[in-house]
Amino acid sequence: MKSKSEIVEVKALPFAAGFNWSTGFQMQRFIQELANRKILGAKCPECGYTYVPPRSRCGKCYTKIGEENLINLSGKGTLVGYTTAYVKLDGQGNFQDLEEPGIIGAIKLENADSTIFMPLEGIKPRDVTEGLKVEVQWREETKGELADIRCFKPT
Ligand SMILES: [Zn+2]
């Protein structure tokens, strides 16, 4: 057991970390195609499970998924779950109240099996129901970044 004199208490330190990582060719293609307002999925050649964002190996049957297995998805889908957020992080680790509650939807795109989690706008939280048909809303100028998908809205 340590004596009290050996315990160093640190209340806070400034901390910043930068990262570089490879997203792999599937994710790279996915992000590039967002500039063309296209959402790519990866369909497993063995079991047919379709992932969005695409991935290079099937999590169901472990089959390799190649570039030839990338498919275009329509950007339309169904809400299969959601949560309502009343606060956001301010970038300093503190919560701030949102002026209006925000909805984060779990969305299953047409012809995809996995779900994506995206902001849902254009509907009040009390009116949201699972099974709602939704459609992607692109930001005005798409640049090949994840932020090209602004949100989803009910159709
Ligand atoms: Zn598979």
Side-chain angles (χ1 to χ4, degrees):
M1 189 174 164
K2 290 187 174 184
S3 69
K4 195 168 173 74
S5 63
E6 291 174 303
I7 298 170
V8 178
E9 263 189 46
V10 179
K11 293 231 184 286
L13 283 175
F15 181 80
F19 299 93
N20 287 309
W21 73 95
S22 167
T23 54
F25 86 88
Q26 303 270 33
M27 196 62 186
Q28 191 180 338
R29 279 284 312 279
F30 174 78
I31 292 169
Q32 284 170 348
E33 288 300 323
L34 294 176
N36 303 319
R37 300 182 178 223
K38 286 184 180 168
I39 299 177
L40 291 182
K43 186 171 186 171
C44 174
E46 184 65 29
C47 73
Y49 194 94
T50 301
Y51 296 90
V52 61
R55 52 189 291 175
S56 57
R57 190 164 296 273
C58 181
K60 303 282 177 197
C61 71
Y62 310 111
T63 300
K64 193 172 181 343
I65 302 174
E67 195 161 6
E68 68 279 11
N69 304 118
L70 294 177
I71 60 169
N72 279 320
L73 299 170
S74 70
K76 291 181 179 175
T78 303
L79 189 74
V80 296
Y82 64 94
T83 189
T84 306
Y86 296 91
V87 293
K88 67 175 182 179
L89 287 167
D90 67 356
Q92 308 295 316
N94 305 305
F95 290 109
Q96 280 182 339
D97 289 335
L98 289 170
E99 283 178 29
E100 295 284 329
I103 304 163
I104 305 296
I107 295 159
K108 193 167 169 179
L109 293 175
E110 285 176 0
N111 299 318
D113 294 296
S114 65
T115 51
I116 55 172
F117 296 88
M118 298 299 297
L120 180 65
E121 293 181 4
I123 188 167
K124 297 258 184 248
R126 66 170 179 269
D127 297 327
V128 176
T129 54
E130 287 179 24
L132 188 73
K133 298 295 177 196
V134 295
E135 188 171 18
V136 67
Q137 305 293 310
W138 299 99
R139 72 175 168 186
E140 213 162 287
E141 188 190 342
T142 52
K143 301 173 181 174
E145 299 171 357
L146 289 175
D148 288 343
I149 298 178
R150 196 169 58 74
C151 67
F152 278 73
K153 281 187 175 178
T155 55

